[in-house]
Amino acid sequence: DPTRTEFEGKPLLGAYAVDDQGVPAQRITLVEKGVLKTLLMSRRPHKKIAHSNGHARTGRQGTPRAYFSNLFVRADDGKSFDELKAELLELCKEQELEHGLLITKNSGSPKLPIMVYKIFVKDGKQELVRGLTIDDIPVQTLKDIVAAGSDSFLSEGLLDGIAVSVVSTSVLFEELELKK
């Protein structure tokens, strides 16, 4: 929703009224109940979508293309933090793992978590882990989302030179690749 200018009183970096091709910005629903409903569109035609919906953005590449601005992700049946944590421990038990990883704070970049804990299945004890980054997240990794939270948090920055804001819930992945 590029037309939304704030979230919980904070201005959104990705807000704009008119896209980079002069088309008025529009709020759209991309996915509803797990089903893809539409696409972000610029003036470049698509066989199933005839018109732009005001999402042409120009970044480092210099040519306007369909790109998100303010992305809002929410779950209809979101769980509390404690429920997600319990589900993480149960998932670890099922996979016979000693511990899982719990990321509680992000740097603002989805690749740079700053508060990561090992959470041990045996006793629930948490141990701080330093120096991890999240590897690139391929789209197929999204199928590994086991549960989502009822919370919302804001992350902003530049992606490919384009200002974006993401308001998202906590998520529990069955598997996610991290590196030191």
Side-chain angles (χ1 to χ4, degrees):
D1 184 358
T3 65
R4 188 149 166 203
T5 59
E6 66 177 22
F7 171 73
E8 294 181 352
K10 297 176 187 167
L12 294 175
L13 190 58
Y16 61 89
V18 177
D19 76 2
D20 291 347
Q21 292 178 325
V23 177
Q26 295 177 30
R27 178 193 183 280
I28 60 171
T29 299
L30 293 172
V31 177
E32 187 174 349
K33 299 196 183 301
V35 178
L36 181 67
K37 294 294 185 180
T38 192
L39 300 171
L40 300 173
M41 291 298 298
S42 65
R43 288 189 182 195
R44 185 176 188 183
H46 184 275
K47 64 183 175 182
K48 293 187 179 186
I49 303 171
H51 303 287
S52 172
N53 52 27
H55 288 86
R57 312 285 307 279
T58 305
R60 286 187 214 130
Q61 78 283 356
T63 304
R65 62 184 174 116
Y67 211 89
F68 75 94
S69 58
N70 292 334
L71 178 64
F72 295 86
V73 180
R74 72 178 198 299
D76 290 336
D77 57 350
K79 299 181 178 190
S80 72
F81 176 80
D82 289 337
E83 290 172 317
L84 287 175
K85 192 172 166 182
E87 199 160 337
L88 170 62
L89 290 170
E90 188 58 38
L91 194 59
C92 290
K93 281 180 193 173
E94 288 171 11
Q95 295 182 15
E96 298 179 0
L97 299 172
E98 289 182 16
H99 67 271
L101 291 176
L102 179 66
I103 300 172
T104 61
K105 190 168 183 183
N106 194 309
S107 67
S109 164
K111 291 185 162 202
L112 297 172
I114 55 175
M115 296 300 288
V116 181
Y117 297 90
K118 278 184 186 177
I119 181 167
F120 293 91
V121 174
K122 168 175 68 171
D123 56 9
K125 182 181 140 203
Q126 294 182 193
E127 178 182 297
L128 187 63
V129 179
R130 297 194 183 271
L132 294 178
T133 59
I134 297 173
D135 207 357
D136 288 333
I137 301 174
V139 172
Q140 56 266 39
T141 301
L142 298 178
K143 70 177 177 44
D144 292 334
I145 294 176
V146 174
S150 56
D151 56 354
S152 292
F153 60 92
L154 173 64
S155 181
E156 298 187 292
L158 295 176
L159 291 176
D160 297 328
I162 297 172
V164 297
S165 301
V166 178
V167 175
S168 180
T169 65
S170 297
V171 290
L172 174 59
F173 283 95
E174 183 170 346
E175 189 173 313
L176 188 64
E177 195 167 327
L178 299 168
K179 58 185 175 181
K180 285 189 174 198

